[in-house]
Structures are given as C-alpha cells and as structure tokens.
Amino acid sequence: MRPLDGVLVADFSRVLAGPLATMTLADLGATVVKVERPGTGDDTRRWGPPWTDRSSTYFAGLNRGKHSVALDLDDPADRAAAVELVRRADVLVQNFRPGVLARCGLDPDGALELNPRLVYTSVSGFGARADLPGYDFVVQAAGGLMSVTGAADGEPTKAGVALVDVLTGKDALVGILAALRQRERTGHGQHVEVNLMSSLLAGLVNQVSGYLATGEAPARMGNRHPSIAPYETLRCADGLLAVAVGNDAQFRRFTAALDRPALADDPRFAANADRVAHRDALVALLEDALSARRADAWEPVLHAAGIACARVNDVGAAVRYAESLGLDPVLDLGPDHPGQIRPPVTFSAAPAGTALPPPGLDEHGDRVRAWLRGPAVPFPEGEA
C-alpha cells in the first residue's frame, strides 16, 4: 500500500501550483480526478514546445497519475456530476478566481456544507481578499525574488523555473496532509488556503529576515551569498566551479587543498565575517590558485577535502549526475510515454510514484461519469 491509498481528490486546478500538489497526492497513492474544461482542458496542455504525442511536456510533467474528465460547469448535467464528485471527495483543490465555483455551489462554504469531511484547498496569486490575477513571473517581481536574483550590475532576473508556483504547490500539500490528519481526530474537514505571494515571502528566508531585522532591503549579488564567503562560483582554468565553504574549519581545509594554507591565517580571512568583508580580495586569490587546473580536475580534490563543490551542469548533465550517484531519478511510464523525474520522497514500506501516465483530455470521462451516476463506492481505477 501507498500512504494515501483510499483518498479521493477532486482536482479543479490548472497550470502549476495546484496540479503539482495533486500530482504529488497521486504519487502518494491518492485517486485524483482532474476536472477540465471541454475542448481545451488545462491551459498548460498548449504551453509548448516541447511536446509529447499528447500534449505539451509542461502539462505532462505536472499531471501523471490522474484521471481526466471534461465537465462544463455551466451545463446542468455536468454541474451535477461535479457536485457529486465533491460530495464523495476527501480533498478538493482549486485555483479559480473568487466567485467562479460559487455559481455552482462549490465555494468553500457550499462544498463544506455538502461534504463536512472535505479538505477544501484554495490556491491564489495574492490571497482571496486581493482578487488579483497572479502568474509566477508576476509574483516573482512583486514579491522581491527578482530583486535579489541576477548580477549586481544587471537587471532584476526571474528564476529559471516557476519556483514560486513550486513552493506554493508544496505548501498546499503540507496544508492538505495536516488537515487530513486533523480530520482523523475531529471528523471534520476545513478550508485550507495558500497563495503565491505568501509562499514566496516565506521562501525568501534569510533575505527577508535580514530586512525585518535591519530595515534594509537586500540587493542582487549574482552567485554570491550575503552572509557566507566563499559561497559562490569561482573561475578555474576552463570555467566555473560552485564552491560552498560553510565554516572556518572548512575554509582551512579548502585553502590546504588549493596549496594556499597561509590564506587561513591571514587576518582578512580567518573568520567568516572577515571573509565576507574582504570578499573581493579573497576571490582574486582563490581564483589565482584555481586557475592552475580545470574545474573537473579540482572537483575530486576538493571533495576529498570535504568541501562542497560542483561544476555548473546543464539540465541533461544534472540528470546524468543524479544517475551516477545512484539516485535513479527517472520514472519510467512505459514505452509510449517519455520518462519523468521520480518523486523526491521515498518510503521504505511503499512504492514511489505512479504507473499511470498523464491523461489525454477527457480520457477517463465515460468511466468517471458512469461511476458518479452509481453508488458511492471507490473509483474503479483498474478498469479499462
């Protein structure tokens, strides 16, 4: 058995944060019924290139393990099916603008009256009171992430992935699991709310705590860390090496491995605060030493000294590196589907991930509708 076997999820979400949360629930064993718009489905089905045979790779990477049904919530028969799905569900996840689901009685109050054991989960950009549209990129700008990302003398830059959506999806998952646990004690569900802005502010961790303590907003520093040195990319003979030295003992081992042991006794560099204050001078000396070898030659030397470092891989090299470490990062969904990254959480007593590939639009519609017309029994996942 997987941890969430027997949990039914009504997934009314689309794009990234909500679908990531519900896909993770499916990976953990939940039955997820994805409700999509007839004809078009989830917006991300068309967010390509690149493409699979069925949809964009964007959609495929967020929707494995789900059963797709296309329902028009303005159609009485489809609306009745949606209501029945919510009546049977343990969890509902939605990211509609306020008022959309209220038209069919599936706002938080209506859904919880219909099904008091429901964990109703709302995902928004800026919180329900703001009623503002919120895509990840816009929230990265509004929430300060872009202000601390990029070169010091360059423009503010977004992260290379929709990181805020990912953080919010993870936060939604935490809230759902906590509410399911509380339901075991109380017998009642509740309304769980997450929003991209709050998830980003929480995700800024040391950057925002520094602002709250000092009143000074942090600035962009490229690959440098505001509070630790050296903790950045350093240039070797052929390219960059990311080096993270977290304490003074590590710095002494680092300088010894570079054959520059005297640097650890230099009063400018003896303690971390000194190294931060004299970072430019330190980096010049470190890069002079590193220029003697290629990055791939330095990597095993520094690893042997217990120093965290890595060449800057592209995504393909990153997957291959994970494979070389025995992490088995790719989940095989069969010969007709591209591989996907395996769920990052493993269990000693449960399988990881799902064998069910991302669904075509309304692929399971007939089965879902027939099930909703019948008695309230578990969803027949194994039927063709």
Side-chain angles (χ1 to χ4, degrees):
M1 292 182 63
R2 291 182 293 170
L4 295 184
D5 279 348
V7 172
L8 175 64
V9 179
D11 182 7
F12 288 83
S13 68
R14 64 251 187 251
V15 186
L16 202 164
L20 176 63
T22 55
M23 183 179 72
T24 307
L25 292 170
D27 287 336
L28 294 173
T31 297
V32 178
V33 177
K34 183 176 180 69
V35 178
E36 301 190 68
R37 290 172 297 194
T40 58
D42 191 312
D43 297 354
T44 61
R45 286 187 180 274
R46 300 177 304 285
W47 283 11
W51 306 95
T52 72
D53 291 341
R54 291 179 154 196
S55 67
S56 71
T57 57
Y58 199 118
F59 174 86
L62 293 164
N63 288 282
R64 66 171 175 262
K66 303 179 185 180
H67 306 268
S68 172
V69 58
L71 298 177
D72 179 356
L73 298 182
D74 292 323
D75 176 83
D78 282 0
R79 185 165 60 248
V83 168
E84 181 59 27
L85 175 61
V86 174
R87 192 192 310 276
R88 300 183 184 193
D90 297 287
V91 176
L92 182 152
V93 180
Q94 64 88 16
N95 59 352
F96 286 101
R97 294 284 293 273
V100 173
L101 288 181
R103 295 200 301 265
C104 49
L106 295 181
D107 59 308
D109 290 341
L112 283 165
E113 182 177 353
L114 178 73
N115 178 358
R117 289 178 53 80
L118 181 68
V119 173
Y120 189 108
T121 310
S122 297
V123 181
S124 65
F126 295 95
R129 293 183 180 179
D131 189 19
L132 294 171
Y135 282 92
D136 176 277
F137 174 54
V138 173
V139 180
Q140 287 199 34
L145 180 58
M146 288 176 62
S147 76
V148 295
T149 306
D153 57 354
E155 293 186 349
T157 305
K158 74 177 184 67
V161 70
L163 184 63
V164 184
D165 270 323
V166 173
L167 289 172
T168 308
K170 301 280 190 180
D171 286 345
L173 182 67
V174 170
I176 290 166
L177 296 177
L180 286 173
R181 176 68 180 92
Q182 187 172 11
R183 190 183 70 171
E184 292 179 4
R185 299 196 304 270
T186 67
H188 298 289
Q190 60 183 294
H191 185 197
V192 175
E193 295 183 79
V194 296
N195 67 80
L196 275 66
M197 185 70 174
S198 294
S199 288
L200 172 52
L201 290 175
L204 288 175
V205 289
N206 59 296
Q207 297 283 36
V208 76
S209 67
Y211 162 72
L212 293 174
T214 66
E216 297 181 8
R220 292 184 299 285
M221 298 182 65
N223 291 325
R224 292 181 167 183
H225 193 288
S227 307
I228 310 172
Y231 197 104
E232 55 209 278
T233 49
L234 299 172
R235 189 160 297 279
C236 302
D238 65 330
L240 296 175
L241 187 70
V243 176
V245 175
N247 57 51
D248 297 340
Q250 290 178 12
F251 184 68
R252 184 168 293 278
R253 296 200 304 272
F254 179 47
T255 57
L258 297 183
D259 197 25
R260 299 289 195 279
L263 290 177
D265 296 316
D266 189 314
R268 294 174 298 171
F269 313 134
N272 177 70
D274 302 319
R275 295 192 292 274
V276 171
H278 299 94
R279 189 195 305 264
D280 289 341
L282 173 63
V283 167
L285 293 167
L286 294 177
E287 290 190 334
D288 178 66
L290 289 165
S291 67
R293 301 185 190 182
R294 293 166 51 94
D296 60 356
W298 278 118
E299 203 170 6
V301 172
L302 297 181
H303 283 165
I307 303 302
C309 67
R311 287 165 286 168
V312 181
N313 288 329
D314 63 22
V315 172
V319 172
R320 295 190 293 274
Y321 183 55
E323 290 172 337
S324 74
L325 297 175
L327 296 177
D328 194 20
V330 179
L331 185 66
D332 184 4
L333 296 180
D336 298 327
H337 302 277
Q340 296 198 357
I341 291 299
R342 187 177 299 278
V345 179
T346 60
F347 299 88
S348 63
T354 174
L356 192 64
L361 178 59
D362 203 39
E363 179 177 347
H364 309 95
D366 290 343
R367 189 194 315 170
V368 171
R369 291 184 184 88
W371 169 65
L372 291 173
R373 288 192 297 267
V377 297
F379 183 72
E381 294 193 59
E383 295 181 3

Short mmCIF file of all heavy atoms in Angstrom, two decimals, residues 11 13-24 42 44 58 62 66 93-95 121 123-124 134 136 162-173 176 194-196 199:
data_model
loop_
_atom_site.label_atom_id
_atom_site.label_comp_id
_atom_site.label_asym_id
_atom_site.label_seq_id
_atom_site.Cartn_x
_atom_site.Cartn_y
_atom_site.Cartn_z
N ASP A 11 -9.71 17.40 -8.37
CA ASP A 11 -8.72 18.39 -8.79
C ASP A 11 -9.35 19.34 -9.80
O ASP A 11 -9.49 19.01 -10.98
CB ASP A 11 -7.51 17.67 -9.39
CG ASP A 11 -6.41 18.63 -9.82
OD1 ASP A 11 -6.53 19.84 -9.52
OD2 ASP A 11 -5.44 18.18 -10.45
N SER A 13 -7.94 22.29 -10.31
CA SER A 13 -6.87 23.27 -10.52
C SER A 13 -6.25 23.11 -11.90
O SER A 13 -6.41 22.09 -12.57
CB SER A 13 -5.79 23.11 -9.44
OG SER A 13 -5.09 21.89 -9.58
N ARG A 14 -5.52 24.15 -12.29
CA ARG A 14 -4.80 24.09 -13.55
C ARG A 14 -3.54 24.91 -13.45
O ARG A 14 -3.33 25.64 -12.49
CB ARG A 14 -5.66 24.56 -14.73
CG ARG A 14 -6.07 26.01 -14.66
CD ARG A 14 -7.53 26.16 -14.37
NE ARG A 14 -7.93 27.56 -14.46
CZ ARG A 14 -8.25 28.29 -13.41
NH1 ARG A 14 -8.20 27.79 -12.19
NH2 ARG A 14 -8.61 29.54 -13.58
N VAL A 15 -2.70 24.80 -14.44
CA VAL A 15 -1.39 25.42 -14.59
C VAL A 15 -0.37 24.70 -13.72
O VAL A 15 -0.04 23.55 -14.02
CB VAL A 15 -1.42 26.95 -14.37
CG1 VAL A 15 -0.06 27.57 -14.70
CG2 VAL A 15 -2.49 27.59 -15.29
N LEU A 16 0.13 25.25 -12.59
CA LEU A 16 1.28 24.60 -11.95
C LEU A 16 1.09 24.29 -10.48
O LEU A 16 1.18 23.13 -10.08
CB LEU A 16 2.55 25.46 -12.14
CG LEU A 16 3.90 24.73 -12.03
CD1 LEU A 16 5.02 25.58 -12.61
CD2 LEU A 16 4.25 24.31 -10.62
N ALA A 17 0.84 25.29 -9.63
CA ALA A 17 0.87 25.05 -8.18
C ALA A 17 -0.13 23.98 -7.76
O ALA A 17 0.23 23.01 -7.07
CB ALA A 17 0.61 26.35 -7.42
N GLY A 18 -1.41 24.13 -8.15
CA GLY A 18 -2.41 23.14 -7.80
C GLY A 18 -2.13 21.78 -8.40
O GLY A 18 -2.15 20.76 -7.70
N PRO A 19 -1.88 21.70 -9.73
CA PRO A 19 -1.56 20.40 -10.32
C PRO A 19 -0.34 19.72 -9.73
O PRO A 19 -0.30 18.49 -9.65
CB PRO A 19 -1.35 20.75 -11.80
CG PRO A 19 -2.27 21.91 -12.03
CD PRO A 19 -2.16 22.72 -10.76
N LEU A 20 0.68 20.49 -9.32
CA LEU A 20 1.83 19.87 -8.67
C LEU A 20 1.41 19.22 -7.35
O LEU A 20 1.82 18.10 -7.03
CB LEU A 20 2.92 20.91 -8.42
CG LEU A 20 4.15 20.40 -7.66
CD1 LEU A 20 4.87 19.31 -8.43
CD2 LEU A 20 5.09 21.55 -7.33
N ALA A 21 0.59 19.93 -6.58
CA ALA A 21 0.12 19.36 -5.31
C ALA A 21 -0.68 18.10 -5.54
O ALA A 21 -0.48 17.08 -4.84
CB ALA A 21 -0.71 20.40 -4.55
N THR A 22 -1.60 18.11 -6.51
CA THR A 22 -2.44 16.93 -6.73
C THR A 22 -1.66 15.79 -7.36
O THR A 22 -1.94 14.62 -7.08
CB THR A 22 -3.67 17.31 -7.59
OG1 THR A 22 -3.24 17.91 -8.81
CG2 THR A 22 -4.58 18.26 -6.84
N MET A 23 -0.66 16.10 -8.21
CA MET A 23 0.17 15.02 -8.74
C MET A 23 0.95 14.35 -7.62
O MET A 23 1.11 13.12 -7.61
CB MET A 23 1.13 15.56 -9.80
CG MET A 23 1.99 14.46 -10.44
SD MET A 23 3.12 15.07 -11.71
CE MET A 23 4.34 15.93 -10.71
N THR A 24 1.42 15.13 -6.67
CA THR A 24 2.14 14.55 -5.54
C THR A 24 1.21 13.68 -4.71
O THR A 24 1.61 12.61 -4.22
CB THR A 24 2.78 15.65 -4.69
OG1 THR A 24 3.57 16.50 -5.52
CG2 THR A 24 3.67 15.04 -3.62
N ASP A 42 -6.78 21.88 -19.33
CA ASP A 42 -5.80 22.67 -18.59
C ASP A 42 -5.04 23.58 -19.56
O ASP A 42 -4.62 23.15 -20.63
CB ASP A 42 -4.84 21.71 -17.88
CG ASP A 42 -3.94 22.39 -16.87
OD1 ASP A 42 -3.33 23.42 -17.21
OD2 ASP A 42 -3.81 21.88 -15.75
N THR A 44 -2.09 24.48 -19.64
CA THR A 44 -0.73 24.05 -19.96
C THR A 44 -0.68 22.95 -21.00
O THR A 44 0.41 22.63 -21.49
CB THR A 44 0.02 23.59 -18.69
OG1 THR A 44 -0.67 22.48 -18.11
CG2 THR A 44 0.11 24.71 -17.67
N TYR A 58 5.14 20.42 -20.61
CA TYR A 58 4.79 21.18 -19.40
C TYR A 58 3.62 20.49 -18.70
O TYR A 58 3.68 20.21 -17.48
CB TYR A 58 4.42 22.62 -19.80
CG TYR A 58 4.47 23.63 -18.69
CD1 TYR A 58 5.34 24.71 -18.74
CD2 TYR A 58 3.63 23.54 -17.58
CE1 TYR A 58 5.38 25.66 -17.72
CE2 TYR A 58 3.66 24.48 -16.56
CZ TYR A 58 4.54 25.53 -16.64
OH TYR A 58 4.59 26.47 -15.64
N LEU A 62 3.31 17.63 -14.88
CA LEU A 62 2.55 18.01 -13.69
C LEU A 62 1.28 17.21 -13.48
O LEU A 62 0.53 17.48 -12.54
CB LEU A 62 2.17 19.50 -13.77
CG LEU A 62 3.34 20.47 -13.71
CD1 LEU A 62 2.91 21.85 -14.20
CD2 LEU A 62 3.89 20.55 -12.30
N LYS A 66 -3.29 10.89 -12.88
CA LYS A 66 -4.63 11.47 -12.73
C LYS A 66 -5.60 10.90 -13.76
O LYS A 66 -5.20 10.41 -14.82
CB LYS A 66 -4.56 12.99 -12.88
CG LYS A 66 -3.60 13.66 -11.89
CD LYS A 66 -3.55 15.17 -12.10
CE LYS A 66 -2.51 15.81 -11.20
NZ LYS A 66 -2.42 17.27 -11.39
N VAL A 93 -9.05 20.61 -4.64
CA VAL A 93 -8.05 21.64 -4.89
C VAL A 93 -8.53 22.49 -6.06
O VAL A 93 -8.89 21.95 -7.11
CB VAL A 93 -6.67 21.02 -5.22
CG1 VAL A 93 -5.64 22.12 -5.47
CG2 VAL A 93 -6.20 20.13 -4.08
N GLN A 94 -8.54 23.82 -5.87
CA GLN A 94 -9.00 24.70 -6.95
C GLN A 94 -8.21 26.00 -6.93
O GLN A 94 -7.73 26.43 -5.87
CB GLN A 94 -10.50 24.98 -6.82
CG GLN A 94 -10.91 25.73 -5.57
CD GLN A 94 -10.87 27.25 -5.73
OE1 GLN A 94 -10.82 27.76 -6.84
NE2 GLN A 94 -10.90 27.96 -4.61
N ASN A 95 -8.07 26.61 -8.10
CA ASN A 95 -7.41 27.92 -8.17
C ASN A 95 -8.17 28.87 -9.10
O ASN A 95 -7.58 29.66 -9.83
CB ASN A 95 -5.95 27.80 -8.60
CG ASN A 95 -5.76 27.13 -9.95
OD1 ASN A 95 -6.71 26.60 -10.55
ND2 ASN A 95 -4.54 27.13 -10.45
N THR A 121 -9.19 23.10 -0.62
CA THR A 121 -7.92 23.80 -0.75
C THR A 121 -7.98 24.83 -1.86
O THR A 121 -8.23 24.48 -3.02
CB THR A 121 -6.78 22.81 -1.03
OG1 THR A 121 -6.84 21.74 -0.08
CG2 THR A 121 -5.43 23.49 -0.95
N VAL A 123 -6.01 27.86 -3.96
CA VAL A 123 -4.71 28.40 -4.34
C VAL A 123 -4.95 29.70 -5.11
O VAL A 123 -5.72 29.71 -6.07
CB VAL A 123 -3.93 27.41 -5.24
CG1 VAL A 123 -2.56 27.99 -5.59
CG2 VAL A 123 -3.79 26.05 -4.56
N SER A 124 -4.29 30.78 -4.69
CA SER A 124 -4.46 32.06 -5.39
C SER A 124 -3.11 32.75 -5.54
O SER A 124 -2.10 32.29 -4.98
CB SER A 124 -5.43 32.97 -4.64
OG SER A 124 -4.90 33.34 -3.37
N GLY A 134 -2.62 36.20 -10.75
CA GLY A 134 -1.23 36.06 -10.30
C GLY A 134 -0.51 34.90 -10.94
O GLY A 134 -0.68 33.76 -10.52
N ASP A 136 3.24 33.14 -11.83
CA ASP A 136 4.50 33.03 -11.12
C ASP A 136 5.44 34.20 -11.42
O ASP A 136 6.01 34.80 -10.50
CB ASP A 136 5.18 31.70 -11.49
CG ASP A 136 6.54 31.54 -10.86
OD1 ASP A 136 7.53 32.07 -11.42
OD2 ASP A 136 6.64 30.90 -9.82
N ALA A 162 9.51 28.15 -12.68
CA ALA A 162 8.43 28.81 -11.94
C ALA A 162 8.50 28.42 -10.46
O ALA A 162 7.64 27.71 -9.92
CB ALA A 162 7.08 28.45 -12.54
N LEU A 163 9.52 28.92 -9.81
CA LEU A 163 9.86 28.48 -8.46
C LEU A 163 8.77 28.82 -7.45
O LEU A 163 8.53 28.05 -6.51
CB LEU A 163 11.18 29.13 -8.05
CG LEU A 163 11.76 28.72 -6.70
CD1 LEU A 163 12.10 27.24 -6.70
CD2 LEU A 163 13.00 29.54 -6.39
N VAL A 164 8.09 29.95 -7.62
CA VAL A 164 7.07 30.34 -6.64
C VAL A 164 5.87 29.39 -6.74
O VAL A 164 5.30 29.00 -5.72
CB VAL A 164 6.64 31.80 -6.86
CG1 VAL A 164 5.65 32.22 -5.78
CG2 VAL A 164 7.85 32.73 -6.84
N ASP A 165 5.50 29.01 -7.95
CA ASP A 165 4.44 28.01 -8.09
C ASP A 165 4.82 26.71 -7.41
O ASP A 165 3.99 26.05 -6.78
CB ASP A 165 4.16 27.75 -9.58
CG ASP A 165 3.09 28.66 -10.14
OD1 ASP A 165 2.12 28.96 -9.43
OD2 ASP A 165 3.22 29.06 -11.31
N VAL A 166 6.08 26.31 -7.57
CA VAL A 166 6.54 25.07 -6.95
C VAL A 166 6.46 25.17 -5.43
O VAL A 166 5.96 24.27 -4.74
CB VAL A 166 7.97 24.73 -7.41
CG1 VAL A 166 8.51 23.53 -6.63
CG2 VAL A 166 7.99 24.43 -8.91
N LEU A 167 6.95 26.28 -4.87
CA LEU A 167 6.86 26.48 -3.43
C LEU A 167 5.41 26.44 -2.95
O LEU A 167 5.09 25.82 -1.93
CB LEU A 167 7.47 27.83 -3.05
CG LEU A 167 8.99 27.97 -3.14
CD1 LEU A 167 9.39 29.43 -2.93
CD2 LEU A 167 9.69 27.09 -2.12
N THR A 168 4.52 27.10 -3.70
CA THR A 168 3.13 27.15 -3.30
C THR A 168 2.48 25.79 -3.38
O THR A 168 1.67 25.40 -2.51
CB THR A 168 2.37 28.17 -4.17
OG1 THR A 168 3.07 29.42 -4.16
CG2 THR A 168 0.95 28.38 -3.65
N GLY A 169 2.81 25.01 -4.43
CA GLY A 169 2.29 23.65 -4.52
C GLY A 169 2.73 22.79 -3.35
O GLY A 169 1.93 22.01 -2.81
N LYS A 170 3.98 22.95 -2.95
CA LYS A 170 4.47 22.20 -1.79
C LYS A 170 3.75 22.65 -0.51
O LYS A 170 3.40 21.83 0.35
CB LYS A 170 5.97 22.39 -1.64
CG LYS A 170 6.81 21.95 -2.82
CD LYS A 170 7.03 20.46 -2.85
CE LYS A 170 8.07 20.08 -3.89
NZ LYS A 170 8.31 18.63 -3.96
N ASP A 171 3.55 23.97 -0.37
CA ASP A 171 2.83 24.47 0.80
C ASP A 171 1.39 23.95 0.83
O ASP A 171 0.86 23.61 1.90
CB ASP A 171 2.83 26.00 0.80
CG ASP A 171 4.18 26.59 1.18
OD1 ASP A 171 5.03 25.85 1.70
OD2 ASP A 171 4.38 27.80 0.94
N ALA A 172 0.76 23.91 -0.35
CA ALA A 172 -0.61 23.37 -0.42
C ALA A 172 -0.61 21.92 0.05
O ALA A 172 -1.51 21.49 0.80
CB ALA A 172 -1.15 23.48 -1.84
N LEU A 173 0.38 21.16 -0.38
CA LEU A 173 0.46 19.76 0.01
C LEU A 173 0.61 19.62 1.52
O LEU A 173 -0.05 18.78 2.15
CB LEU A 173 1.63 19.10 -0.72
CG LEU A 173 1.84 17.61 -0.46
CD1 LEU A 173 0.68 16.80 -1.03
CD2 LEU A 173 3.16 17.15 -1.05
N ILE A 176 -2.74 20.31 3.10
CA ILE A 176 -3.69 19.22 2.88
C ILE A 176 -3.41 18.05 3.80
O ILE A 176 -4.32 17.50 4.45
CB ILE A 176 -3.63 18.77 1.40
CG1 ILE A 176 -4.23 19.85 0.49
CG2 ILE A 176 -4.36 17.45 1.20
CD1 ILE A 176 -3.91 19.64 -0.98
N VAL A 194 -3.71 28.78 0.40
CA VAL A 194 -2.33 29.17 0.13
C VAL A 194 -2.34 30.20 -0.99
O VAL A 194 -3.27 30.24 -1.79
CB VAL A 194 -1.43 27.97 -0.25
CG1 VAL A 194 -1.30 26.99 0.89
CG2 VAL A 194 -1.96 27.26 -1.50
N ASN A 195 -1.31 31.02 -1.04
CA ASN A 195 -1.18 31.95 -2.15
C ASN A 195 0.28 32.14 -2.50
O ASN A 195 1.17 31.97 -1.66
CB ASN A 195 -1.87 33.29 -1.84
CG ASN A 195 -1.19 34.07 -0.74
OD1 ASN A 195 -0.17 34.73 -0.96
ND2 ASN A 195 -1.74 33.99 0.48
N LEU A 196 0.54 32.48 -3.74
CA LEU A 196 1.91 32.57 -4.23
C LEU A 196 2.71 33.64 -3.49
O LEU A 196 3.89 33.44 -3.19
CB LEU A 196 1.91 32.86 -5.74
CG LEU A 196 1.79 31.66 -6.69
CD1 LEU A 196 0.43 30.99 -6.55
CD2 LEU A 196 2.02 32.08 -8.14
N SER A 199 3.75 32.35 -0.05
CA SER A 199 4.74 31.28 -0.18
C SER A 199 6.10 31.84 -0.57
O SER A 199 7.14 31.38 -0.09
CB SER A 199 4.28 30.24 -1.20
OG SER A 199 3.21 29.48 -0.68
#
